[in-house]
Amino acid sequence: IVVTGSDDHLWKMWALPDGNLLMTGEGHTDWLSGCCFRPSGTQLVTSSGDTTVRIWDLSRRGCILTLKGHARAVHGCSWHSRGDFVASASLDSTSKIWDVNSERCRYTLRGHKDSVNSSEFLPFSSTVLTSSADKTLSLWDSRTVSRL
């Protein structure tokens, strides 16, 4: 199974190798920039030019949570290996750590001078790696919001 996001505001789930369309997600109001499965495989997180991050329940076939807080387009998203947190990267020069259980932003990572293009948790760790258009990479401790 593979998931794709597109300029048409939709994400689509495809079966491999036959290419059959399994599911479509509708709800973002601008292009999709990222899609990532929750480690358990039961949910999907998406990021969009509409400044939001959305959590989708695959069994319910719909969006169950919209995370708002970025001021500009969101470039990407990723799950923590435990599945309780999502990281997002934005054109607003920040990355955010979202607590999915409490449905709120836990931390905002500030320090890049240009858009943050990606934000990834290192596996089985509280460390987040961000990359930016300011031509830097940063490692962060997501528990203390400090650069490492």
Side-chain angles (χ1 to χ4, degrees):
I1 294 176
V2 66
V3 175
T4 59
S6 178
D7 286 348
D8 65 5
H9 311 181
L10 304 174
W11 61 264
K12 294 181 180 182
M13 185 182 301
W14 309 87
L16 294 177
D18 57 17
N20 290 334
L21 180 64
L22 301 174
M23 193 181 301
T24 300
E26 185 176 327
H28 281 291
T29 58
D30 208 338
W31 46 269
L32 267 73
S33 55
C35 303
C36 185
F37 284 108
R38 189 174 193 163
S40 65
T42 59
Q43 294 177 336
L44 182 74
V45 63
T46 58
S47 54
S48 172
D50 66 11
T51 74
T52 68
V53 174
R54 289 181 180 246
I55 308 291
W56 306 81
D57 186 297
L58 300 177
S59 64
R60 293 186 199 172
R61 296 181 168 259
C63 177
I64 58 169
L65 179 60
T66 301
L67 301 168
K68 298 177 181 178
H70 281 294
R72 299 190 59 201
V74 183
H75 276 186
C77 53
S78 65
W79 285 97
H80 184 274
S81 51
R82 278 192 14 220
D84 295 328
F85 298 96
V86 166
S88 60
S90 174
L91 201 66
D92 66 11
S93 303
T94 69
S95 180
K96 291 187 179 287
I97 307 298
W98 304 91
D99 183 331
V100 176
N101 297 320
S102 69
E103 301 182 357
R104 66 181 183 87
C105 177
R106 175 70 62 93
Y107 302 112
T108 300
L109 309 178
R110 290 181 169 79
H112 285 293
K113 293 179 174 60
D114 206 339
S115 66
V116 180
N117 298 329
S118 68
S119 186
E120 298 285 334
F121 287 99
L122 274 56
F124 308 104
S125 162
S126 61
T127 303
V128 177
L129 171 67
T130 56
S131 66
S132 172
D134 67 14
K135 300 180 182 164
T136 65
L137 300 173
S138 291
L139 289 172
W140 307 80
D141 183 333
S142 64
R143 296 167 299 182
T144 62
V145 195
S146 60
R147 282 190 178 174
L148 300 176

